[in-house]
Amino acid sequence: MPRIALIPGDGIGLEVVREARRVLEHVASSEGFDIELTDWDLGADRFLRDGITITDEEFRSLDEDHDAVLLGALGDPRVPGNQHAKDILLGMRFKLDLYVNFRPCVLLSPALTPLKDVKGPLRLDIFRENTEGEYTGIGGVFKDGTPDEIALEENIATRKGVERIIRAAFDYADTRGRGRVTLVDKSNVMRHVGGLWRRVFSEVGQEYPDIEQDAMYVDAMAMDLVRRPERYEVIVASNLFGDIVSDLAAEVTGGLGLAPSANIHPGRNALFEPVHGSAPDIAGTGRANPIGAIRCVGLLFDHFGYRDVAERIESAVIASIEVGSTTPDLGGQLSTQEVGDWLLRHFDTALPRTTNQEASDRND
Ligand code: NAD
Ligand code: IPM
Ligand code: MN
């Protein structure tokens, strides 16, 4: 019985997780899955109330007493520097060693891309390294506040860390029938860290001779994701480059409101969260798109081995987009909750995919 911790967090996180939870409960009961949900009060409110972000005991419990976490978003303008978000979100990624940050960016309907002339189906499966890079906080300031101030933010790359995310990307391409893996780096300038990524990519790549493999500098990749995104399939990148490229890929495939992500330590624990943040600009207005969070439920079922359920969630989402039953960011007029209502009503009769059929077929 999967035990799932729900952490709505801050801002629209609460609104989108409410809908994701309804979908999770609906699908679990209609498919006969036994799931156990626990509610977690982690976020800005708790931090401002109790001065606590997350305790060691809570990390232990998330790790040992749960199989997965479903998170909304963390970030609140009342908390300068968003220390709580770093402690909780980066804390889970690091302490649970969730080294794969999988961010599939799929164009669910051709009309959703802001680009003109996108040729063919578009599915960008991003594998972002999630435990190293510029994110570890290693560094510091010296002579702060003076004209001689020095600030260091180290970029950490270990062979183990680089190898395991590259391997995860190739394994995924191999098992899901994807034809190309592209490494994103900046090895023309960052010769040490970038050099390690290139060497390991080429070593691991030799084990997958049937998969096309190439590498792009991150600046050129930003350009090419706008120019000809359909060229790319699986993308593997360091923590920071993966963060940036995944927002770009999400926008190219319809917007942040649609993009889900899974933070995984294969065989151990997993954290599912939409790619978007707490969106303070629209929090409380009912305008938040819940699809990113709801597609996280699909990733969660896929993670536990139920790809057919994930496909049905995806089909229902596509159907809602095709009939315009969407929130305003996608041009619709429904509220967050009304999108959830629509999906719950249409799940059991989820329409078959009519778009991106080719991409879908290739992934079967
Ligand atoms: P954001 O993703 O919250 O918002 C960016 C823009 O996209 C805003 O205009 C917002 O209204 C819109 N948007 C985002 N999600 C949407 C949705 N579901 N439906 C409709 N519109 C949506 O990014 P930001 O403004 O840079 O960050 C706000 C806060 O969230 C910050 O504190 C940031 O650190 C935090 N953040 C948290 C996470 C996370 O918890 N995983 C991720 C990104 C940002
Ligand atoms: C994301 C977010 C986080 C990150 C922030 C909120 C720490 O942007 O999940 O993409 O940079 O990883
Ligand atoms: Mn980000």
Side-chain angles (χ1 to χ4, degrees):
M1 168 162 73
R3 299 155 303 172
I4 300 163
L6 293 177
I7 307 179
D10 302 328
I12 65 166
L14 289 97
E15 300 160 41
V16 299
V17 165
R18 197 176 299 130
E19 301 315 310
R21 178 197 192 119
R22 291 167 71 207
V23 169
L24 180 54
E25 286 175 334
H26 175 89
V27 175
S29 85
S30 65
E31 301 285 330
F33 296 135
D34 221 359
I35 54 168
E36 188 182 303
L37 301 180
T38 52
D39 294 292
W40 286 62
D41 170 28
L42 298 180
D45 283 345
R46 185 214 196 175
F47 178 55
L48 292 168
R49 189 180 65 235
D50 303 335
I52 294 169
T53 56
I54 180 169
T55 65
D56 288 345
E57 167 55 19
E58 284 166 336
F59 278 125
R60 189 212 55 76
S61 174
L62 287 172
D63 192 15
E64 294 173 17
D65 310 335
H66 295 81
D67 303 299
V69 178
L70 180 61
L71 175 107
L74 290 160
D76 189 302
R78 295 172 299 165
V79 182
N82 279 311
Q83 188 54 42
H84 69 298
K86 291 193 194 89
D87 286 1
I88 299 166
L89 183 59
L90 299 185
M92 283 192 285
R93 290 177 184 171
F94 292 144
K95 293 192 180 174
L96 307 185
D97 199 29
L98 305 172
Y99 65 87
V100 176
N101 193 330
F102 174 54
R103 299 186 154 186
C105 297
V106 190
L107 184 59
L108 298 174
S109 163
L112 292 179
T113 183
L115 304 179
K116 58 175 185 187
D117 299 335
V118 170
K119 294 174 196 68
L122 187 51
R123 178 179 179 111
L124 304 163
D125 286 310
I126 296 175
F127 281 74
R128 167 186 177 191
E129 201 293 319
N130 217 23
T131 56
E132 307 189 337
E134 289 86 348
Y135 273 68
T136 64
I138 293 177
V141 287
F142 180 51
K143 298 187 181 178
D144 38 320
T146 75
D148 297 325
E149 180 163 357
I150 297 170
L152 285 181
E153 203 84 57
E154 297 293 349
N155 181 6
I156 308 299
T158 66
R159 176 172 272 273
K160 172 184 147 193
V162 170
E163 183 171 339
R164 63 187 184 173
I165 186 67
I166 290 175
R167 196 172 290 286
F170 274 110
D171 275 349
Y172 177 88
D174 193 32
T175 54
R176 304 275 168 137
R178 311 237 60 204
R180 181 196 295 264
V181 178
T182 302
L183 169 68
V184 174
D185 67 13
K186 188 71 187 172
S187 54
N188 50 345
V189 175
M190 297 156 71
R191 288 186 302 115
H192 310 300
V193 165
L196 176 63
W197 276 86
R198 287 255 164 158
R199 274 182 281 122
V200 175
F201 184 73
S202 138
E203 282 168 28
V204 174
Q206 283 170 22
E207 297 171 31
Y208 300 87
D210 298 334
I211 298 175
E212 278 185 56
Q213 26 204 290
D214 56 4
M216 290 284 285
Y217 300 135
V218 64
D219 48 349
M221 188 63 169
M223 176 274 293
D224 229 23
L225 278 178
V226 173
R227 187 173 64 143
R228 45 171 191 171
E230 64 280 356
R231 178 177 182 277
Y232 298 97
E233 297 190 32
V234 175
I235 294 169
V236 61
S238 67
N239 208 338
L240 184 59
F241 294 156
D243 180 44
I244 297 166
V245 163
S246 60
D247 265 26
L248 178 54
E251 199 56 38
V252 162
T253 50
L256 269 184
L258 293 170
S261 78
N263 302 254
I264 302 173
H265 186 118
R268 261 167 56 184
N269 213 329
L271 155 68
F272 301 86
E273 47 161 348
V275 175
H276 65 73
S278 56
D281 55 339
I282 57 165
T285 66
R287 295 168 66 86
N289 190 341
I291 298 291
I294 288 169
R295 292 176 75 213
C296 285
V297 175
L299 292 184
L300 186 146
F301 277 108
D302 195 336
H303 175 74
F304 286 114
Y306 302 104
R307 257 176 81 193
D308 51 327
V309 177
E311 285 292 327
R312 282 188 42 228
I313 292 177
E314 202 79 337
S315 296
V317 164
I318 291 170
S320 75
I321 293 169
E322 279 175 356
V323 297
S325 295
T326 60
T327 42
D329 54 311
L330 298 186
Q333 293 177 346
L334 298 193
S335 67
T336 311
Q337 189 184 334
E338 285 166 342
V339 170
D341 291 342
W342 194 98
L343 290 172
L344 289 184
R345 276 202 308 278
H346 289 78
F347 256 126
D348 305 319
T349 54
L351 309 176
R353 282 173 175 238
T354 53
T355 54
N356 258 348
Q357 194 63 49
E358 205 181 306
S360 147
D361 290 346
R362 261 191 294 150
N363 289 321
D364 286 341

